[in-house]
Amino acid sequence: MTAAHFDLLLVDAHLATMRQSAGPYGTVRDGAVGVRGKCIAWVGRRADLPRGASAAQTLSCEGHWLTPGLVDCHTHLVYAGNRAGEFERRQQGASYAQIAREGGGIASTVRATRAAPETELAAQSAPRLASLAAEGVTTVEIKSGYGLDTAAEAKQLRVARELGAELDVDVRTTLLAAHALPPEYAGRADDYIEYVCRDTIPAIARAGLADAVDVFCETIGFSGAQTRRVFAAAREHGLRVKLHADQLSDMDGARIAAQASALSADHLEYANEGGIAAMAKAGTVAVLLPGAFYALRETRAPPVAALRSAGVPIAVSTDCNPGTSPVTSLVLMVNMACTLFGLTPEEALAGVTRHAARALGLSDRGVIDAGMRADLARFAVVEPAELGYRVGGNASSGVVRAGRVRYWGS
């Protein structure tokens, strides 16, 4: 029998594998991970390594914890401009909806993003992606939605893909043309949705720039009927769907998402019981966004107990965006999901690994197991619960993405 040979062998590690059937955090103490090519070939206790196992490269984890590479499954991080002025207005009493009605909010970022050349858009957005990558994030979803015409939406998605290649992060792109009503369609929401369905979705699909399509289904966004039209067009062009659902009001968004077999329904503060039951049946992931909840000083938390009871998978994300969640730390969101929404540290970590991968339709990552993609994050913590306990700081001490060592600290 030939002895096992790995391209990369990680030893002296405690593993939070996040395998559901393997106890809390899927813990393996004094473990090892063998990598061959882009995939994990072996996982277990170091004492159980195959006799005679060898590796082209062996690295010590120095007793640190390995988790799956973190997945940020809901961001809007490619944009131009700054909305600090709107933050100041909210502190003075203006509401998010009021600012949006006055031409601020998403519309102000649309003006800046449309005007920015691709090079400038990339330069402004790169530090946000780099910040996520520096704390162990290996996969990031990036939405468009600040162009609101076909050319500008395509520009955002191209920049997102280019940044992923430049910064060595796996970027998944989502077309969010139905994010807000552009000024040239003021008072003509149905006409704009027709344009999105007839022009934008087909053009983006032909160019291969998007992995999914999203809609902002809300009183200040688009109706349920308009959302369904966009979803139908997405399906016609082979694109999966996601939904900004029930953030500010009960639009029955959770049910609309589930009926469309959406990958995820995101926000969900006002989701009703019927919608949650429909999500459970459809396998739609709930994505919680504590950064927006915090920044908007909301008081109605998502119905976590109902989601748990129904067996809906719960993911956690930054919602990195210029207006309502200017957040570039996914690990901080792990803490906020615990402190603001009542998730356990284990649930929150699953929310940025296993369930976040599922929210993007990715079954090859989010768990440390043989056959899975070798995306791994190393953290200098005593126990994995520390990732939920800490408020700020960066405990990341190493990252492996697709079998390659991206960085390895001492």
Side-chain angles (χ1 to χ4, degrees):
M1 182 176 178
T2 304
H5 181 77
F6 306 113
D7 297 317
L8 173 65
L9 181 61
L10 304 178
V11 297
D12 305 320
H14 301 308
L15 311 179
T17 68
M18 304 313 295
R19 293 182 293 200
Q20 284 184 283
S21 59
Y25 299 96
T27 294
V28 178
R29 293 187 180 273
D30 193 14
V33 178
V35 175
R36 197 173 293 126
K38 296 181 178 181
C39 295
I40 297 169
W42 189 89
V43 177
R45 295 188 310 153
R46 185 179 185 184
D48 295 331
L49 270 168
R51 182 170 297 183
S54 62
Q57 181 181 21
T58 300
L59 292 175
S60 171
C61 294
E62 301 174 323
H64 295 182
W65 281 82
L66 280 180
T67 75
L70 305 188
V71 178
D72 197 349
C73 63
H74 179 133
T75 85
H76 308 249
L77 67 78
V78 171
Y79 62 85
N82 183 296
R83 278 157 61 186
E86 293 179 14
F87 169 76
E88 187 170 36
R89 283 203 62 204
R90 288 203 305 274
Q91 298 308 107
Q92 295 167 347
S95 70
Y96 175 68
Q98 178 186 348
I99 291 170
R101 284 193 296 267
E102 294 171 356
I106 293 168
S108 66
T109 301
V110 169
R111 290 191 292 273
T113 302
R114 284 181 171 182
E118 286 195 27
T119 53
E120 178 59 25
L121 186 58
Q124 291 190 40
S125 303
R128 295 186 277 269
L129 184 59
S131 179
L132 292 171
E135 58 176 29
V137 176
T138 53
T139 302
V140 177
E141 185 252 23
I142 301 177
K143 303 177 192 294
S144 61
Y146 296 126
L148 306 187
D149 65 45
T150 301
E153 291 287 294
K155 175 175 70 172
Q156 276 192 273
L157 296 170
R158 280 195 301 273
V159 168
R161 293 272 179 90
E162 290 162 4
L163 288 177
E166 177 184 335
L167 296 175
D168 196 18
V169 177
D170 190 8
V171 166
R172 298 303 199 174
T173 48
T174 297
L175 174 66
L176 182 56
H179 194 194
L181 197 60
E184 59 270 27
Y185 280 89
R188 298 188 295 130
D190 282 337
D191 289 345
Y192 178 62
I193 291 298
E194 174 62 24
Y195 165 74
V196 168
C197 294
R198 184 192 67 244
D199 188 299
T200 307
I201 290 174
I204 296 300
R206 284 194 301 271
L209 286 173
D211 301 298
V213 170
D214 197 349
V215 179
F216 184 34
C217 181
E218 191 49 75
T219 54
I220 59 172
F222 297 95
S223 70
Q226 290 162 344
T227 296
R228 291 185 177 95
R229 288 176 62 190
V230 174
F231 281 180
R235 285 194 298 271
E236 287 174 10
H237 291 85
L239 295 170
R240 301 293 299 272
V241 298
K242 302 167 67 67
L243 188 64
H244 282 63
D246 303 325
Q247 178 187 10
L248 306 174
S249 61
D250 182 0
M251 297 278 289
D252 209 24
R255 192 190 311 271
I256 291 169
Q259 289 172 342
S261 299
L263 291 169
S264 70
D266 303 24
H267 287 291
L268 295 173
E269 281 85 341
Y270 287 83
N272 60 55
E273 290 184 7
I276 291 170
M279 287 177 63
K281 185 176 180 180
T284 297
V285 177
V287 179
L288 306 188
L289 304 170
F293 179 89
Y294 170 82
L296 291 173
R297 294 188 294 183
E298 294 288 355
T299 56
R300 178 163 176 152
V304 169
L307 293 168
R308 273 198 200 111
S309 178
V312 175
I314 299 174
V316 175
S317 187
T318 61
D319 192 17
C320 172
N321 76 72
T324 63
S325 189
V327 173
T328 55
S329 171
L330 186 57
V331 175
L332 177 60
M333 296 302 95
V334 171
N335 169 269
M336 284 192 174
C338 295
T339 57
L340 298 178
F341 295 161
L343 269 64
T344 67
E346 183 179 4
E347 286 176 323
L349 186 56
V352 297
T353 54
R354 184 174 73 239
H355 295 322
R358 181 171 171 179
L360 297 179
L362 300 174
S363 59
D364 64 344
R365 66 198 72 183
V367 175
I368 302 177
D369 208 352
M372 300 293 280
R373 178 177 153 116
D375 286 356
L376 303 161
R378 181 172 71 133
F379 292 99
V381 295
V382 176
E383 297 289 343
E386 194 173 334
L387 295 173
Y389 160 75
R390 289 190 180 199
V391 183
N394 184 1
S396 176
S397 59
V399 168
V400 175
R401 190 180 82 82
R404 293 183 300 103
V405 178
R406 195 168 73 193
Y407 70 87
W408 205 257
S410 57

